[in-house]
Amino acid sequence: MSRPYGYHQPNAPNSPTTDSESDIELNLEELDPVTATDRRDFGTGGDSWGRHAGRQIPLQSLRIGRRRENVRRKKDYEDSSGAEDAEGLLHGDTDLRYGGSFDTPKDDDPLLLPDGPAGHKSRSKTRGKHFPPSQRSPSLGSNPLIRDGASRQQPTSSRDVEASRNITIGQYPPPRFPPNAVSNAKYTAWSFLPRTLYNEFSFFFNLYFLLVALSQIIPSLRIGYLSTYVAPLAFVLIITLGKEALDDVGRRKRDAEANKEEYTILRLRDKSAIGSSKGSQKRKRISRTKQYSRLDAIKEEEEEVGGSELSLASGIDVDEIKIKSRDLKVGDVVRLGKNQRVPADLVILKSYSADFATTSASSSSTLSNMEGSAPLMEAVDEPPIADTPAVEADSKQSTSADHANPSADGDGVGETFIRTDQLDGETDWKLRLASPLTQALDPRDFTRLRVVAGRPDKKVNEFMGTVEYTPLRKKPPDIAEVSDNNIISSPLTIDNTAWANTVLASNATVLAVVVYTGAQTRQALSTSQSRSKAGLLEYEINNLTKILCALTLTLSIVLVAIRGIEGRPEQEWYVAVTRFLILFSTIVPISLRVNLDMGKTVYARFIQRDEGIPGTVVRTSTIPEELGRIEYLLSDKTGTLTQNEMDLRKIHVGTVSYASEAMDEVRSYVRQVFSSNVSLDVKQSASLVTPSSTHQLASSGVSTTRSRREIGSRVRDLVMALALCHNVTPSTESVEGQSITTYQASSPDEIAIVRWAESVGLRLLHRDRHTITLQSVDTSRVVVRVKILEVFPFTSTGKRMGIILQFFQGEESALSTADSPDEIWFYQKGADTVMGSIVAANDWLDEETANMAREGLRTLVVGRKRLSTQQYEDFASLYRQASMSLQSRDSSMAQVVKDHLEHNLELLGVTGVEDKLQRDVKPSLELLRNAGIKIWMLTGDKVETARCVAVSAKLVSRTQYIHTITQLSTRPGSSAAVDALSILRSKPDSTALLIDGDSISHFLNHHQHDFISLAVQLPAVIACRCSPTQKADIAYLIRNFTQKRVACIGDGGNDVSMIQAADVGVGIVGKEGRQASLAADFSITSFHHLTKLLVWHGRNSYKRSAKLAQFVIHRGLIISVCQTFYSIATELQPHALYRDWLLVGYATVYTMAPVFSLVLDKDVDEGLANLYPELYKELTTGKSLSYRTFFVWVAVSIYQGGIIQGCSQILVDRDSPRMVSVSFTVLLINELIMVAFEIVTWHWIMYVSILGTAMIYVGSIPFLGGYFDLEFMWGWAFAWRVAAISALSLIPPYSIKILRRTLKPPNYRKVQGL
């Protein structure tokens, strides 16, 4: 079994030094570091030429000789205008210069460039090209891996060395590294116009209008003014492109806010840089007056080299400066504190607590002064803690309030915890370590470090690299890890990193170097590029437009055919067809896009101004109608459905369970044992409590029934076990002058349990690698002190955690373990599925764990076992032997634990921990399900956690069976996948699926169609252990397979890919960052706001746009019908009925405001929409805008257009201004009244728009003398004709509508009771 760093066997016999499971290693199962073999392969293994060169060439001679060569050639080349710089680039010297492979002029100089550009030039001009590889100094800071890669370009690991990067701290990075800027913008200045124009003209009706406008350039096809065709198209494009530009500018502004976040970095400057610069100027002055001799060069070299090493070390200034996140560069050393977001991918160099910061400088020393430095050379072969010289000092370190609180342990390895839920969705905190090589260094010595990192990769659980240190003095020859060139190296793994958008959770200060920035961070590489989104309504209207265009073409051909193919002598038939197409172009109304785009802006404004969902931001204003078409919702868990705050809600001790108010009784039991035996005299020491003494104390002097004493004893044993069996470390911090204790652990469940133990009277006072101290809350006395003998950490496969403890007895002032050497106990807690066979036989465990699971609580079964000294020694001996095995070490160690410890444990009780849900999550999920939305929960968390949250959030109902598919067998010929699908296929309506990421990958690779076709039918799917890429793949798969609208919601950076892959992405402003909300189409502040966003705003947006689109089509179609009747009446001549500005005015001034006022209409109020979510479900069928409703409107348009134009031509002269005045007036009245017929809920703006438009038309009649007969329009003859024709066109359609509404009322009228 793997053992994490920091909890090895401090008091057990020695482990072999070859044990790769030494205390530098973390829990491999949880943190997934690379294997020890990979690290050794990466950190060693080099070439022979470097070592030979180090032996054959005296370092001082080589160094001074190169300086002389440098000076001699400098004069020859100082007038060459940078020719050497170009040659250096051709020879790859840029990489060497910035990477630091061969960049140190003196072996004892700090590895950084002087301030100013002069330093850069003077070093780059003669570097590399004067010495062949076989003669370059091996002391210049490169380990064998980098030397090999720099000289021969041969990879020494699975990674390509050319893709690796060499980072020398304190130097400027090469320009090839990207800036550390967050960017969610869709466009650049160069791509905006091409991409937006392509997107616009990919829609058929925009391309159609472009062709119509271009046709007016040809004289024979021109009808009216060119501007009447070009201006509307230009207006549409300006509106659309303007919206896209504003949205993208908004994204850039929000990105700029994130990029302005300030961070503290260490500025490492060489004091001698100024002197070096002056020396360079001095040499230039000498060279102008006389020949710069070789003796001068030697003298100057020896003056610089001859300084004391102490002056070299103290020649580095360390300043703290604040810079913006976007200005961070590779090689910068960043200082981070608690709850601070990590701005880039970092390698941790040093970690110390806030209290320890003041003493860290004096206590830390350079590597040359360290004793027992073997761990610094080969971390994987570190000797056991029991043998390290720092154990005694470390055992005295305390994390209690009255001691220092270092984050580093005694031998210099800094520890800190980070939260990664924004990166991978896992709620467990991750333990991160500073390399022992860098933890011991003073920050001034960071300039002598170089970090070698692999290529940028999106795998968040993998990293390989090395850190190298060039000491001031040569090491003694007996240190084998120090190479001949005096370079010390140490491997780096995932344990030494902190990726961007994770959060520092420890009360510590961390110094870390930036290794990847911007687009090369793990977070960015796991995120897909932003894409331009178009709603389903856009595509539906595009298809309807194609039908209208086909009708137009057919009508034009028919009219020309009736007229005769030859046409007029001066006009060819195809010219006549084209002119008819242009005349009928109003059938495809160009104003449709204008109205829809303006409607989207109104919907976005309604959403952002809704006081019921404060803080909501619409980042993509082109798809609000999509909110009304969602059929699948993919949700993150951590931070989205849950608060990631654990709370112990219930315990059960076999016969009695305690929850809520009953916890007061638990406190009384704890107080009887841990408080009653303590004297009130401050000077008198408290007596320590052991598991054996609790029974004696409970039974002495207490007049209670025997059953009550037994229950009290069980409760106290369970509380003590929970207070001891964990990996939690307390830390103290000062907040507003008050000392507050916080807890740090990899699992929030353990923190919740320790906090609960404190709430009932037993506080964790101190924890280090060797001891645990418990304190009574009531008396503030130490009541329990134990020695840690062994820790068995939790793993995803083992699902349990254990610890062996030896209890101290007697008075606290005189600690002793000799009085009772057999007071050794083994405690273990874990999932009921594995603990059921470990604990002793009982008749209540299964029932109680099932009851807690139904309540959505995360259960842990707690047991213990007493060990004699002989039993422990036998176990320790076998455990050591298992740890020495070179093959199957973990399984061998686990088997020893199972055989000697994990059987017949005394069952102490069961705990139930609740993961607190976000506000109103349960009713929100229920409402969304009733609205016909199928909900999938995708999380990176564990299977057990996902199951509990799904049950507690009511994502899975009590009547549904949860079918779990985890660790699916992938062996060839295995039928496990097919069998699992068969079970799901038997009852798809009442079965919810719980599946892990590996099983999903297997299904998608081998059974994709069968799996997705079945999964989309299930009422709920819970996918755990999903990577960000998998989340996005699932979203794409559902979209492509079902052709339904998919919404994704999340709050972390690990959800960005999923959000961008969805049709509608919703981001929640999280506690730790705004990555998801910045990349989303809609940003909200809480999950329960999603219901209003979909059920109310989404439904209204879709229904309004559908009604608006159909009415605009009707408005264009009816005028085309009038044109058709007019052309037939004029012997099929392609002449315009309404010309020039009369045609433009019809589509804008005279009808636009009333038609556009339909965006204010609503069929039900918000209360009914929430009460009857089934109203939302009917929208998914697309009945609001379908081919059926489209052809109904086409029929209405043909009827009304025929009545208006036909009656006008009958009642008035066929081709005269009088006919045009009657026809156009009736047409406007018809449209205004039709708008009134369509309104369900009147708004005052609707009254104003209809009446105002009518008044505008009446007022503009005097200015339309070129089109109308004004004298005729002021007479009764005009009035009665207009009234009669209007009645004929309006009454029949309205009567049919009333009749249909009465016989088959729509759903919204049913819920209103109308």
Side-chain angles (χ1 to χ4, degrees), residues 544-564:
L544 298 180
T545 305
K546 295 177 182 178
I547 296 176
L548 291 175
C549 186
L551 292 175
T552 303
L553 180 61
T554 302
L555 183 61
S556 301
I557 294 175
V558 168
L559 291 177
V560 173
I562 293 175
R563 178 184 166 193

Side-chain angles (χ1 to χ4, degrees), residues 535-704:
L536 181 61
L537 187 70
E538 302 272 359
Y539 294 104
E540 291 173 344
I541 293 175
N542 194 53
N543 292 333
L544 298 180
T545 305
K546 295 177 182 178
I547 296 176
L548 291 175
C549 186
L551 292 175
T552 303
L553 180 61
T554 302
L555 183 61
S556 301
I557 294 175
V558 168
L559 291 177
V560 173
I562 293 175
R563 178 184 166 193
I565 298 299
E566 70 283 355
R568 295 190 308 179
E570 69 277 7
Q571 190 176 54
E572 298 294 336
W573 67 269
Y574 52 84
V575 175
V577 170
T578 306
R579 286 178 63 87
F580 272 121
L581 280 173
I582 297 170
L583 285 174
F584 296 147
S585 62
T586 53
I587 291 180
V588 186
I590 192 170
S591 59
L592 177 60
R593 284 305 304 274
V594 178
N595 283 274
L596 290 178
D597 287 344
M598 293 176 63
K600 296 175 193 293
T601 304
V602 174
Y603 308 148
R605 190 175 182 85
F606 285 160
I607 293 172
Q608 295 187 143
R609 290 197 164 194
D610 191 337
E611 296 180 357
I613 48 175
T616 300
V617 179
V618 179
R619 305 200 189 280
T620 305
S621 60
T622 58
I623 55 171
E625 302 93 349
E626 293 296 273
L627 294 171
R629 310 288 295 276
I630 301 302
E631 294 191 53
Y632 290 91
L633 175 65
L634 276 56
S635 174
D636 179 41
K637 178 189 73 68
T638 307
T640 303
L641 299 178
T642 68
Q643 302 179 31
N644 196 23
E645 294 180 6
M646 308 299 173
D647 187 17
L648 194 149
R649 307 290 295 176
K650 191 175 184 179
I651 64 170
H652 197 284
V653 292
T655 56
V656 183
S657 65
Y658 298 92
S660 303
E661 293 81 5
M663 292 299 180
D664 293 335
E665 189 172 352
V666 175
R667 294 186 187 92
S668 66
Y669 288 135
V670 173
R671 190 179 299 111
Q672 288 177 10
V673 173
F674 297 105
S675 300
S676 60
N677 67 315
V678 180
S679 173
L680 296 178
D681 186 1
V682 178
K683 297 181 180 180
Q684 183 176 350
S685 298
S687 178
L688 297 178
V689 179
T690 67
S692 301
S693 64
T694 57
H695 297 279
Q696 302 171 5
L697 293 169
S699 59
S700 61
V702 181
S703 58
T704 57

